[in-house]
Amino acid sequence: MLSQVYRSGFKPFNQRLLPWAQSTAVSRSNRVQPSAIRHVRSWSNIPFITVPLSRAHGKSFAHRSELKHAKRIVVKLGSAVVTRGDECGLALGRLASIVEQVSVLQNQGREMMLVTSGAVAFGKQRLRHEILLSQSVRQALHSGQNQLKEMAIPVLEARACAAAGQSGLMALYEAMFTQYSICAAQILVTNLDFHDEQKRRNLNGTLHELLRMNIVPIVNTNDAVVPPAEPNSDLQGVISVKDNDSLAARLAVEMKTDLLIVLSDVEGLFDSPPGSDDAKLIDIFYPGDQQSVTFGTKSRVGMGGMEAKVKAALWALQGGTSVVIANGTHPKVSGHVITDIVEGKKVGTFFSEVKPAGPTVEQQGEMARSGGRMLATLEPEQRAEIIHHLADLLTDQRDEILLANKKDLEEAEGRLAAPLLKRLSLSTSKLNSLAIGLRQIAASSQDSVGRVLRRTRVAKNLELEQVTVPIGVLLVIFESRPDCLPQVAALAIASGNGLLLKGGKEAAHSNRILHLLTQEALSIHGVKEAVQLVNTREEVEDLCRLDKIIDLIIPRGSSQLVRDIQKAAKGIPVMGHSEGICHMYVDSEASVDKVTRLVRDSKCEYPAACNALETLLIHRDLLRTPLFDQIIDMLRVEQVKIHAGPKFASYLTFSPSEVKSLRTEYGDLELCIEVVDSVQEAIDHIHKYGSSHTDVIVTENEKTAEFFLQHVDSACVFWNASTRFSDGYRFGLGAEVGISTSRIHARGPVGLEGLLTTKWLLRGQDHVVSDFSEHGTLKYLHENLPVPQRNTN
């Protein structure tokens, strides 16, 4: 185990040595092994993570997900990050946040180094203050008056500002790092220090010694004496230190660092100057891509622009150091940008030497949008033909599908719980049911896209129509359910939507073959790209940030998955439910014959489903009756664990374990039983503890049933029927993309209709609004016109 973090100032030399730093020159191959994980306490609002820090010698990381293994990290702070907007002083809040993040990473066992700008800005602030003070004193002496004339501040020379600012800047860093019991040390360098072999060795040894003692080196160009850069000196394979970008790259390579983080005032590298109409952030940049980028002007302060950063980044990458360029000034992200990068999140531009075999997720999104638009222009019969062909492939290629699924099941054995294994499993009967459901979707797709919902004659020769259209690009994220893929794909095809699918890795083999079959079906009408399976390493959280590509996110999986996606989605609507807390109320006038059948089916038929029964509400008058005894006996036979609600427990001498929360989705053979005094109390309980998913009343009294149906505010409300009927296939929708408890757009099982929106079509003949003014020649009619009926045969 690594040595613990010391918090009480500068420790004796032998106490500061870390096990992974036993020599002066720490080689890149000397990594903390996966078994040596450091345990530390969280002392800030940024959580600690404990990860094995190891990788191959001399190679940059190929994927963002590997950045969490970076041990030695250089963070370069650009002038725009360190300075205020007026360029006369430091952005203290931003600096404090950066120091906190660096401290967190340092205390995880990483070796952190800072390359910082800011001396000139800090010096300019101090010198302006001194000049103003000096001028005001002289003016007061000469004029003899208290009122001072307007004073002009001379142009300050940068080297003088740097000389005045270096000591203050370092003092500030020391004060900030001391708050986290971390010692920092300043190193000033010039380009000549890298040209002189002896100075290079001295610098290298000093930095290694500081890292060995768990000290954060803070490096800066000595702007007080720095000479002009030698022209073309970096054309010989060695980069010249012209600015802090080139300094950071040179330092990263010299010190064999794993990661260089370059923070600037833009989100990363764009394919054209940021702010231009077509500018797109480049997620991953590869050597040789420079020709596809148009560079703009440099930032408001500092020596180098983005072109200099890219040049320095590529040089560092060639030297074996991974590089990320990101925004260190944005108030919403600067507080965690460094830690996010190290955790592998999709922040800024990542430089990689390894190009993926397939398209990026952004490219897949563009392909899905383009393919979806082509899909929407097909005739309804053509979309139906694609779905029918997919249904045929599910049965014709049954053996290949089941073989792939068998591989998934074998790999998941021992890793997944029994309910999840059941969801993962495919069978001949499941595939046959899928094919039947797909054919139902094909039939319903005849009257979907382009259906006229409303027609209005606004004025003479001016007619308005409201028609159905696809939503756009859907992102469906699903766990352990490969049968979800063809269902969702068929609904997307029927509704003319582009589709991005992100399945769980536990179903990788099954998902791969099902997606290939889907694309084979799409190919018959040339729209193969409309449905894309995301196989890249993007985390779900990163996908949820693609608000310029994705129009709707639909999670299919555990309540935790849905909650995580709802939390992570930035600017993209999420359709789904976070919990399926379904209730059944057994009224005092319930039928003895019906109750046990309904409870058994709702709870025991498939307890892991979101529409399974979780809370059974029983009218008080039924306690200690044969009906109540039958319910309890049936649950015991089915091996259902009973949790007693507070009121139910109070009626019993020896009660089952009292429920910890009345708002629990068990997802297993467990059930909460609670007692209520009336149908109104049952409704109140459902509204307080339910999740607006599916709720049922069992009674023979029609008036009581109708009261329950009208007053329970849930997506699905049933009378004398199992909760398990809450399903798109059972509703006759063919299939569903999920069950929504939202109150906007779609609610309950969401089938084809829930994947459509509308647009307005206005057809006129040279109509202008001024013709309808008070003195105009035309009047509004607003006549409702008959809606044409489409032939669905």
mmCIF file of all heavy atoms in Angstrom, residues 202-227:
data_model
loop_
_atom_site.group_PDB
_atom_site.id
_atom_site.type_symbol
_atom_site.label_atom_id
_atom_site.label_comp_id
_atom_site.label_asym_id
_atom_site.label_seq_id
_atom_site.Cartn_x
_atom_site.Cartn_y
_atom_site.Cartn_z
ATOM 1 N N ASN A 202 20.887 18.952 -15.139
ATOM 2 C CA ASN A 202 20.592 19.561 -13.838
ATOM 3 C C ASN A 202 19.085 19.750 -13.642
ATOM 4 O O ASN A 202 18.542 19.475 -12.564
ATOM 5 C CB ASN A 202 21.310 20.900 -13.703
ATOM 6 C CG ASN A 202 22.819 20.738 -13.632
ATOM 7 O OD1 ASN A 202 23.319 19.647 -13.373
ATOM 8 N ND2 ASN A 202 23.545 21.826 -13.859
ATOM 9 N N LEU A 203 18.426 20.270 -14.676
ATOM 10 C CA LEU A 203 16.979 20.486 -14.605
ATOM 11 C C LEU A 203 16.246 19.173 -14.401
ATOM 12 O O LEU A 203 15.344 19.059 -13.560
ATOM 13 C CB LEU A 203 16.485 21.182 -15.885
ATOM 14 C CG LEU A 203 14.971 21.362 -16.030
ATOM 15 C CD1 LEU A 203 14.428 22.240 -14.904
ATOM 16 C CD2 LEU A 203 14.629 21.980 -17.388
ATOM 17 N N ASN A 204 16.652 18.165 -15.156
ATOM 18 C CA ASN A 204 16.018 16.855 -15.057
ATOM 19 C C ASN A 204 16.184 16.287 -13.651
ATOM 20 O O ASN A 204 15.229 15.782 -13.050
ATOM 21 C CB ASN A 204 16.628 15.922 -16.110
ATOM 22 C CG ASN A 204 15.842 14.631 -16.262
ATOM 23 O OD1 ASN A 204 15.940 13.756 -15.426
ATOM 24 N ND2 ASN A 204 15.096 14.537 -17.345
ATOM 25 N N GLY A 205 17.402 16.380 -13.138
ATOM 26 C CA GLY A 205 17.650 15.857 -11.798
ATOM 27 C C GLY A 205 16.867 16.600 -10.733
ATOM 28 O O GLY A 205 16.341 15.999 -9.794
ATOM 29 N N THR A 206 16.785 17.919 -10.866
ATOM 30 C CA THR A 206 16.024 18.714 -9.896
ATOM 31 C C THR A 206 14.554 18.324 -9.884
ATOM 32 O O THR A 206 13.945 18.142 -8.825
ATOM 33 C CB THR A 206 16.155 20.212 -10.226
ATOM 34 O OG1 THR A 206 17.544 20.578 -10.171
ATOM 35 C CG2 THR A 206 15.366 21.059 -9.241
ATOM 36 N N LEU A 207 13.965 18.202 -11.076
ATOM 37 C CA LEU A 207 12.553 17.847 -11.166
ATOM 38 C C LEU A 207 12.287 16.459 -10.590
ATOM 39 O O LEU A 207 11.312 16.249 -9.851
ATOM 40 C CB LEU A 207 12.088 17.910 -12.623
ATOM 41 C CG LEU A 207 11.952 19.312 -13.208
ATOM 42 C CD1 LEU A 207 11.752 19.256 -14.716
ATOM 43 C CD2 LEU A 207 10.784 20.044 -12.557
ATOM 44 N N HIS A 208 13.159 15.490 -10.920
ATOM 45 C CA HIS A 208 12.973 14.146 -10.374
ATOM 46 C C HIS A 208 13.092 14.142 -8.848
ATOM 47 O O HIS A 208 12.349 13.433 -8.153
ATOM 48 C CB HIS A 208 13.998 13.181 -10.979
ATOM 49 C CG HIS A 208 13.567 12.619 -12.293
ATOM 50 N ND1 HIS A 208 14.096 13.034 -13.492
ATOM 51 C CD2 HIS A 208 12.645 11.683 -12.600
ATOM 52 C CE1 HIS A 208 13.525 12.375 -14.480
ATOM 53 N NE2 HIS A 208 12.639 11.539 -13.967
ATOM 54 N N GLU A 209 14.039 14.932 -8.327
ATOM 55 C CA GLU A 209 14.207 14.989 -6.878
ATOM 56 C C GLU A 209 12.979 15.591 -6.207
ATOM 57 O O GLU A 209 12.525 15.118 -5.160
ATOM 58 C CB GLU A 209 15.457 15.801 -6.536
ATOM 59 C CG GLU A 209 15.814 15.824 -5.058
ATOM 60 C CD GLU A 209 16.317 14.470 -4.558
ATOM 61 O OE1 GLU A 209 16.598 13.580 -5.393
ATOM 62 O OE2 GLU A 209 16.432 14.307 -3.333
ATOM 63 N N LEU A 210 12.419 16.629 -6.801
ATOM 64 C CA LEU A 210 11.210 17.239 -6.249
ATOM 65 C C LEU A 210 10.041 16.256 -6.268
ATOM 66 O O LEU A 210 9.284 16.131 -5.289
ATOM 67 C CB LEU A 210 10.853 18.506 -7.029
ATOM 68 C CG LEU A 210 11.812 19.690 -6.882
ATOM 69 C CD1 LEU A 210 11.433 20.807 -7.840
ATOM 70 C CD2 LEU A 210 11.843 20.204 -5.450
ATOM 71 N N LEU A 211 9.863 15.558 -7.384
ATOM 72 C CA LEU A 211 8.783 14.583 -7.478
ATOM 73 C C LEU A 211 8.990 13.461 -6.467
ATOM 74 O O LEU A 211 8.024 12.943 -5.883
ATOM 75 C CB LEU A 211 8.704 14.017 -8.894
ATOM 76 C CG LEU A 211 8.298 15.008 -9.996
ATOM 77 C CD1 LEU A 211 8.354 14.348 -11.358
ATOM 78 C CD2 LEU A 211 6.903 15.573 -9.737
ATOM 79 N N ARG A 212 10.249 13.067 -6.289
ATOM 80 C CA ARG A 212 10.556 11.997 -5.341
ATOM 81 C C ARG A 212 10.159 12.393 -3.917
ATOM 82 O O ARG A 212 9.757 11.542 -3.115
ATOM 83 C CB ARG A 212 12.050 11.689 -5.387
ATOM 84 C CG ARG A 212 12.478 10.451 -4.612
ATOM 85 C CD ARG A 212 13.901 10.081 -4.960
ATOM 86 N NE ARG A 212 14.865 10.995 -4.368
ATOM 87 C CZ ARG A 212 15.435 10.821 -3.176
ATOM 88 N NH1 ARG A 212 15.121 9.772 -2.456
ATOM 89 N NH2 ARG A 212 16.312 11.678 -2.726
ATOM 90 N N MET A 213 10.222 13.679 -3.625
ATOM 91 C CA MET A 213 9.879 14.169 -2.292
ATOM 92 C C MET A 213 8.420 14.610 -2.202
ATOM 93 O O MET A 213 8.033 15.309 -1.260
ATOM 94 C CB MET A 213 10.816 15.316 -1.915
ATOM 95 C CG MET A 213 12.262 14.888 -1.728
ATOM 96 S SD MET A 213 13.314 16.189 -1.036
ATOM 97 C CE MET A 213 13.348 17.360 -2.381
ATOM 98 N N ASN A 214 7.620 14.226 -3.185
ATOM 99 C CA ASN A 214 6.179 14.525 -3.173
ATOM 100 C C ASN A 214 5.913 16.032 -3.203
ATOM 101 O O ASN A 214 4.970 16.533 -2.591
ATOM 102 C CB ASN A 214 5.501 13.906 -1.952
ATOM 103 C CG ASN A 214 4.009 13.714 -2.155
ATOM 104 O OD1 ASN A 214 3.543 13.593 -3.288
ATOM 105 N ND2 ASN A 214 3.258 13.692 -1.084
ATOM 106 N N ILE A 215 6.749 16.761 -3.935
ATOM 107 C CA ILE A 215 6.607 18.212 -4.089
ATOM 108 C C ILE A 215 6.113 18.506 -5.503
ATOM 109 O O ILE A 215 6.514 17.846 -6.465
ATOM 110 C CB ILE A 215 7.955 18.920 -3.840
ATOM 111 C CG1 ILE A 215 8.385 18.714 -2.375
ATOM 112 C CG2 ILE A 215 7.891 20.402 -4.173
ATOM 113 C CD1 ILE A 215 9.775 19.203 -2.078
ATOM 114 N N VAL A 216 5.233 19.480 -5.633
ATOM 115 C CA VAL A 216 4.696 19.874 -6.943
ATOM 116 C C VAL A 216 5.599 20.947 -7.544
ATOM 117 O O VAL A 216 5.634 22.079 -7.044
ATOM 118 C CB VAL A 216 3.256 20.401 -6.822
ATOM 119 C CG1 VAL A 216 2.761 20.907 -8.176
ATOM 120 C CG2 VAL A 216 2.324 19.320 -6.287
ATOM 121 N N PRO A 217 6.347 20.641 -8.618
ATOM 122 C CA PRO A 217 7.142 21.677 -9.282
ATOM 123 C C PRO A 217 6.240 22.633 -10.065
ATOM 124 O O PRO A 217 5.336 22.201 -10.783
ATOM 125 C CB PRO A 217 8.046 20.881 -10.234
ATOM 126 C CG PRO A 217 7.924 19.447 -9.816
ATOM 127 C CD PRO A 217 6.571 19.312 -9.210
ATOM 128 N N ILE A 218 6.474 23.910 -9.940
ATOM 129 C CA ILE A 218 5.754 24.932 -10.700
ATOM 130 C C ILE A 218 6.775 25.591 -11.621
ATOM 131 O O ILE A 218 7.677 26.292 -11.171
ATOM 132 C CB ILE A 218 5.083 25.959 -9.775
ATOM 133 C CG1 ILE A 218 4.071 25.249 -8.862
ATOM 134 C CG2 ILE A 218 4.409 27.055 -10.582
ATOM 135 C CD1 ILE A 218 3.391 26.151 -7.869
ATOM 136 N N VAL A 219 6.636 25.356 -12.910
ATOM 137 C CA VAL A 219 7.633 25.750 -13.901
ATOM 138 C C VAL A 219 7.098 26.901 -14.736
ATOM 139 O O VAL A 219 5.915 26.927 -15.092
ATOM 140 C CB VAL A 219 8.002 24.552 -14.805
ATOM 141 C CG1 VAL A 219 9.181 24.897 -15.705
ATOM 142 C CG2 VAL A 219 8.326 23.319 -13.966
ATOM 143 N N ASN A 220 7.982 27.832 -15.076
ATOM 144 C CA ASN A 220 7.597 28.967 -15.928
ATOM 145 C C ASN A 220 8.821 29.433 -16.688
ATOM 146 O O ASN A 220 9.956 29.246 -16.244
ATOM 147 C CB ASN A 220 7.050 30.113 -15.073
ATOM 148 C CG ASN A 220 6.335 31.166 -15.908
ATOM 149 O OD1 ASN A 220 6.203 31.013 -17.122
ATOM 150 N ND2 ASN A 220 5.898 32.226 -15.264
ATOM 151 N N THR A 221 8.573 30.000 -17.855
ATOM 152 C CA THR A 221 9.689 30.631 -18.572
ATOM 153 C C THR A 221 10.106 31.883 -17.803
ATOM 154 O O THR A 221 9.261 32.620 -17.293
ATOM 155 C CB THR A 221 9.278 31.025 -20.001
ATOM 156 O OG1 THR A 221 8.090 31.807 -19.941
ATOM 157 C CG2 THR A 221 9.042 29.802 -20.862
ATOM 158 N N ASN A 222 11.383 32.098 -17.716
ATOM 159 C CA ASN A 222 11.895 33.277 -17.015
ATOM 160 C C ASN A 222 11.746 34.485 -17.938
ATOM 161 O O ASN A 222 12.677 34.901 -18.618
ATOM 162 C CB ASN A 222 13.361 33.066 -16.632
ATOM 163 C CG ASN A 222 13.853 34.136 -15.680
ATOM 164 O OD1 ASN A 222 13.139 35.107 -15.403
ATOM 165 N ND2 ASN A 222 15.062 33.974 -15.174
ATOM 166 N N ASP A 223 10.512 35.050 -17.944
ATOM 167 C CA ASP A 223 10.199 36.125 -18.881
ATOM 168 C C ASP A 223 10.965 37.403 -18.608
ATOM 169 O O ASP A 223 10.971 38.318 -19.431
ATOM 170 C CB ASP A 223 8.697 36.413 -18.844
ATOM 171 C CG ASP A 223 7.889 35.243 -19.388
ATOM 172 O OD1 ASP A 223 8.397 34.558 -20.291
ATOM 173 O OD2 ASP A 223 6.769 35.021 -18.901
ATOM 174 N N ALA A 224 11.626 37.488 -17.457
ATOM 175 C CA ALA A 224 12.408 38.694 -17.150
ATOM 176 C C ALA A 224 13.702 38.743 -17.960
ATOM 177 O O ALA A 224 14.239 39.831 -18.215
ATOM 178 C CB ALA A 224 12.730 38.749 -15.661
ATOM 179 N N VAL A 225 14.198 37.580 -18.380
ATOM 180 C CA VAL A 225 15.475 37.557 -19.101
ATOM 181 C C VAL A 225 15.410 36.715 -20.370
ATOM 182 O O VAL A 225 16.426 36.552 -21.041
ATOM 183 C CB VAL A 225 16.596 36.983 -18.192
ATOM 184 C CG1 VAL A 225 16.782 37.855 -16.969
ATOM 185 C CG2 VAL A 225 16.295 35.540 -17.776
ATOM 186 N N VAL A 226 14.230 36.187 -20.695
ATOM 187 C CA VAL A 226 14.150 35.237 -21.808
ATOM 188 C C VAL A 226 14.582 35.888 -23.120
ATOM 189 O O VAL A 226 14.126 36.977 -23.466
ATOM 190 C CB VAL A 226 12.720 34.669 -21.924
ATOM 191 C CG1 VAL A 226 11.710 35.735 -22.287
ATOM 192 C CG2 VAL A 226 12.681 33.527 -22.921
ATOM 193 N N PRO A 227 15.490 35.245 -23.867
ATOM 194 C CA PRO A 227 15.897 35.795 -25.162
ATOM 195 C C PRO A 227 14.887 35.418 -26.231
ATOM 196 O O PRO A 227 14.057 34.527 -26.026
ATOM 197 C CB PRO A 227 17.241 35.095 -25.420
ATOM 198 C CG PRO A 227 17.078 33.770 -24.737
ATOM 199 C CD PRO A 227 16.223 34.018 -23.533
#
